[in-house]
Amino acid sequence: MTILYGVVVHGGAGSPAELSDGCKAACESAFSLLEAGISALDAVAEAARILEDDGRFNAGSGSVLRLDGKTIEMDAGVMDSENNIGMVISIRGVKNPVLVARAVIATPHVALSGQGATAFAKKSGFAPFYQVSELALERHKRVKQLIKEGRLGEENSRWKGYDVDTLWNSDEVSYGEVFSSDTIGVVAMDKDGTTAVAGSTGGSSPMMLGRVGDTPMIGCGFYAGPACAVAATGIGEEIIKKILAKTVYDTVLSGDDIKTACEKGINMYPHEIAVGLIGISKTGYAVTSNRGMASYALMREG
Ligand code: GLY
């Protein structure tokens, strides 16, 4: 198989198949941009924006809450094989973190965080935005219940053996309720053979304020180079520890096809750690996860 151009979209490790219609809409939109000769970078940013606006995914309008039950902090990253890189970390009060990350590319920096990222977004014309989705409220309720029952660590391995009250880092005492490691991600290759990746997330709850996962970390949640583009999803802490996206990239460099490389990436984790990967190269594409994962792919093959 030779891929002339194409797009792959995922809705997060553990996302139900019913959400594939959202992935399809985002994928079709990005694919039509590629057909029109638009760059892979702009195509992945557009697909990620559509998923952020969908409201059913843990990104943008659907972002989950922090443990205080009211704060939304989001992460996003974009990259292409031309070495264009933009990241926003713990950004608040914007609708589309991925577009802010895309805008960071035009600055002297590659990453902006916290208040500075939000101020940059405002200065760049992104309207203030705050919305708590039904999904976020539902998840917050679940987390609260688990904390109350002292079972947080049972259902989330990251919290095993930790005391939420000791670690809690906000004056607010209201715990959010969430279970989520979902993130949205897109990889694409354009007609010039340039690859690109975009990822966006509200984080993997339950989370302390300021917690950052893999999604805005180059080489962890995303990587794009001449060989392929890779996006990861799942428990950010575990993905970071294995520098997952770059590890998969390097596996392709050493001769594996993208599907084999992604499968090897997933197989580095025990089943209890939710993880997913998508990738695209000139010779194929991959959608792999140790959970269900809504996804969609469109390719023009030659
Ligand atoms: N994979 C998203 C996160 O852990 O934040």
Side-chain angles (χ1 to χ4, degrees):
M1 176 197 294
T2 301
I3 292 177
L4 301 178
Y5 54 95
V7 190
V8 188
V9 170
H10 76 75
S15 56
E18 302 92 84
L19 298 190
S20 291
D21 63 329
C23 295
K24 181 173 186 275
C27 192
E28 284 174 346
S29 180
F31 190 72
S32 65
L33 292 179
L34 294 178
E35 283 183 312
I38 304 294
S39 72
L41 184 65
D42 285 326
V44 294
E46 175 59 6
R49 180 200 66 76
I50 291 169
L51 294 167
E52 285 180 341
D53 288 349
D54 185 296
R56 294 175 297 165
F57 299 99
N58 177 15
S61 305
S63 291
V64 296
L65 292 158
R66 300 278 151 167
L67 275 169
D68 66 352
K70 63 179 184 186
T71 302
I72 290 173
E73 293 175 327
M74 299 165 288
D75 303 320
V78 295
M79 179 179 186
D80 72 7
S81 54
E82 304 285 306
N83 217 25
N84 294 303
I85 303 164
M87 299 170 256
V88 289
I89 299 159
S90 296
I91 192 168
R92 298 184 186 189
V94 297
K95 191 170 183 220
N96 296 113
V98 75
L99 298 184
V100 186
R102 172 76 181 85
V104 169
I105 291 173
T107 75
H109 309 302
V110 294
L112 291 173
S113 70
Q115 285 181 349
T118 304
F120 167 73
K122 195 173 167 193
K123 188 120 198 207
S124 305
F126 293 96
F129 181 84
Y130 176 79
Q131 174 181 298
V132 181
S133 67
E134 284 303 315
L135 180 71
L137 288 171
E138 214 174 282
R139 285 173 169 173
H140 187 72
K141 199 166 144 199
R142 173 78 183 138
V143 168
K144 266 202 293 197
Q145 186 64 29
L146 288 168
I147 291 170
K148 208 167 135 191
E149 294 168 5
R151 296 196 301 118
L152 193 62
E154 265 177 49
E155 289 205 18
N156 189 309
S157 57
R158 275 179 311 161
W159 283 90
K160 208 172 184 163
Y162 291 106
D163 176 5
V164 178
D165 289 316
T166 309
L167 292 172
W168 186 229
N169 62 353
S170 163
D171 292 337
E172 302 288 331
V173 291
S174 158
Y175 298 122
E177 80 178 43
V178 181
F179 252 93
S180 146
S181 57
D182 40 2
T183 301
I184 62 90
V186 187
V187 293
M189 189 171 68
D190 64 26
K191 286 179 172 174
D192 295 331
T194 302
T195 69
V197 55
S200 181
T201 187
S204 175
S205 66
M207 295 168 290
M208 294 160 70
L209 290 171
R211 177 266 183 191
V212 181
D214 59 297
T215 305
M217 293 197 191
I218 185 169
C220 300
F222 66 95
Y223 197 80
C228 63
V230 180
T233 167
I235 304 295
E237 285 78 359
E238 303 296 337
I239 292 169
I240 290 166
K241 285 175 190 170
K242 296 197 189 298
I243 319 170
L244 183 58
K246 183 63 162 58
T247 299
V248 171
Y249 185 86
D250 289 344
T251 309
V252 170
L253 274 189
S254 63
D256 278 340
D257 60 65
I258 186 72
K259 201 162 179 295
T260 305
C262 285
E263 279 163 4
K264 282 183 178 174
I266 298 294
N267 289 339
M268 290 196 297
Y269 294 90
H271 184 74
E272 58 270 25
I273 295 171
V275 63
L277 284 162
I278 56 171
I280 189 167
S281 74
K282 284 190 172 67
T283 56
Y285 74 95
V287 178
T288 35
S289 179
N290 60 9
R291 297 288 185 281
M293 185 166 79
S295 65
Y296 206 80
L298 284 170
M299 300 292 142
R300 180 74 68 225
E301 292 167 31

